[in-house]
Amino acid sequence: MTTDRPHLADDPFEEAAYWAVRLAEAPPAFAEQARFEAWLNADPLNIARMEDIVRSWEAVEAHAAAEPIMELRQAALASARASATAHERAWHGIGWRAALAAASLLIAVMGAGVWLILQPTEYRTGIGERRLVTLADGSTLSLDAGSAVDVLYSRGQRELTVEQGRAKFVVAKDPLRPFTVRAGSKLVVATGTAFSVERLRDSVHVVLYEGHVALLDATTPRYRPIGLRGAADKGPVGRLLAPDQQVTLPAGDAPADATDVAVVTPADPVRSLAWESGQLIFNDEPLPRVVERINRYADRPLRLGDDSARALRVSGVFRAGDTGALVQGLQAAFHVHVREEPNAVAIFGGDPPG
């Protein structure tokens, strides 16, 4: 039995990507073995192109074979496969394992001297400042106020880290270089999509607008995929986050969930992206999370002074930076006490001390 080999567009990197995925799936048939060897011999640069494929997944090498990551890798190459036509040739030559071993050896030799020590570029916003950045590959990075993102691009990977605050990413498609965003011990992996990642004091919030992303937990030496399930015991929803879905994960070194799953809820794109136009919209949000977000715009931050205040939940629409409106709303709805301090405005659910 033989497996048809798609005829790809005249793009040598798509050709290399095809062979990388094809050889990872299963041993090819004889005709494919011959074509792989012929492809390797046709152009000395094909070895380097295979090296690019190998390096492209080094950012997630500990979990590159995990089911959701393989799904993303397959999806990134689906267009090349879908547009293909099939043809067969006879096999005369060495086996596929020998050819792949030879290629791997050459890759190792060639790659030994080409590593560069790269430093990430930091993009940061101050209090009340928002910023839109176009990255080297055409991806865009939209930063909320009081946010910081480190960006490290190399030939084989696009690795970003949300150090604080919130950012939206519109990812340029590149099947050779996965786009990974780390926030604490949580990792979001994409190839071409649009999503936001917010790093809060106690959680990491991910909202997906287009495409698909995989979520990984890095709290163990070998990263593990985070399973997803619907709210209200609706059962599993798969391994990839879908458009207009959101998930909140614990921050720091806490595992995603004792049962290896996280709860997915519907996302309102208008509400979740309102910050880009200077509005903050809250729907039954814990007050500590509301204060953390609104303080990104506050010259004089709010501070919660007791557990009673921290237990409150808030809904409403506020202009970014208008802490006074939030304080007035809390006083009207919950009769909180407010105390002016030298460097902050303190809010108490009960009587303030002293």
Side-chain angles (χ1 to χ4, degrees), residues 179-199:
F179 192 99
T180 65
V181 177
R182 184 169 188 139
S185 63
K186 306 304 180 289
L187 199 68
V188 181
V189 185
T191 51
T193 187
F195 62 98
S196 65
V197 176
E198 183 178 26
R199 186 171 181 176

Side-chain angles (χ1 to χ4, degrees), residues 160-174:
L160 298 87
T161 302
V162 178
E163 298 291 351
Q164 67 181 57
R166 171 166 50 187
K168 176 190 171 188
F169 307 90
V170 178
V171 183
K173 293 184 178 180
D174 185 348

